Amino acid sequence: MRIVVMSDSHGNAAAVEAVVAQQPNAKLFIHLGDGLQEFKRVMESHPNREYWCVRGNSDFMAAEESLVSGWVRDVKLVCTHGHHWSVKFGLDELKEMARDKFATIVLYGHTHAAHNEYDNGLYILNPGSVSSPRDTSTPTYAIIDIEKKNVVCSIVELHQ
């Protein structure tokens, strides 16, 4: 099963649509905040796609939660924007929270910088930003491929 993860679109609906177009076989799309309006609008035009999303620090009027967890096959995911766990200053708080929730994968945004790490049984993944990356000149998103209990996480460049 393929999962697409994006974050920090900040009003750029064209970037969100480009991600969806680049991943026609994905079953689940996840947005990690700061751009929920355009994400939900784009996903409404693709009713056959499942999606999850969390509120970011710039999603002022959003009713969504700031932390969502769920199962995909036998893999538990925890999704957050990251600002409540001080991710700009390190990942220790985020990792502790994910382990307390018995997660296999923790997804976060907020930094606009892609990050893909495996730490003692926990995958830590930040897709970067689809509209305004801070670590590269090319916007990025992430894909997660899950087959049974096998997990592969990758950062992908967005070409518009």
Side-chain angles (χ1 to χ4, degrees):
M1 175 179 185
R2 174 156 288 181
I3 303 167
V4 173
V5 185
M6 65 186 91
S7 189
D8 296 286
S9 49
H10 290 283
N12 190 339
V16 174
E17 187 62 57
V19 171
V20 174
Q22 283 183 8
Q23 296 295 329
N25 298 320
K27 300 294 183 203
L28 173 62
F29 288 82
I30 300 174
H31 195 290
L32 299 174
D34 286 359
L36 291 189
Q37 266 190 334
E38 63 271 14
F39 176 70
K40 292 190 314 188
R41 192 169 50 246
V42 168
M43 294 316 295
E44 285 172 3
S45 68
H46 298 277
N48 59 330
R49 305 289 178 80
E50 182 181 353
Y51 68 91
W52 300 354
C53 53
V54 294
R55 179 180 68 240
N57 61 299
S58 295
D59 295 314
F60 302 113
M61 302 303 286
E64 284 74 13
E65 297 293 326
S66 59
L67 181 73
V68 170
S69 63
W71 292 87
V72 175
R73 306 231 166 125
D74 293 330
V75 177
K76 185 172 185 185
L77 283 75
V78 173
C79 310
T80 186
H81 185 61
H83 60 294
H84 292 300
W85 286 272
S86 306
V87 296
K88 288 186 177 179
F89 304 103
L91 299 178
D92 290 343
E93 288 182 50
L94 180 75
K95 290 177 184 181
E96 181 179 348
M97 176 274 296
R99 287 191 169 102
D100 286 347
K101 295 189 175 298
F102 303 102
T104 304
I105 304 171
V106 62
L107 305 172
Y108 72 101
H110 190 55
T111 65
H112 294 232
H115 180 82
N116 186 1
E117 175 185 354
Y118 182 78
D119 180 15
N120 196 24
L122 179 65
Y123 294 89
I124 304 102
L125 184 61
N126 182 328
S129 172
V130 295
S131 68
S132 52
R134 294 188 180 142
D135 58 337
T136 178
S137 60
T138 305
T140 58
Y141 62 97
I143 56 173
I144 304 168
D145 289 311
I146 300 174
E147 274 306 315
K148 298 186 181 176
K149 288 193 177 190
N150 295 323
V151 175
V152 177
C153 300
S154 306
I155 303 296
V156 179
E157 291 184 350
L158 175 61
H159 300 287
Q160 298 185 59

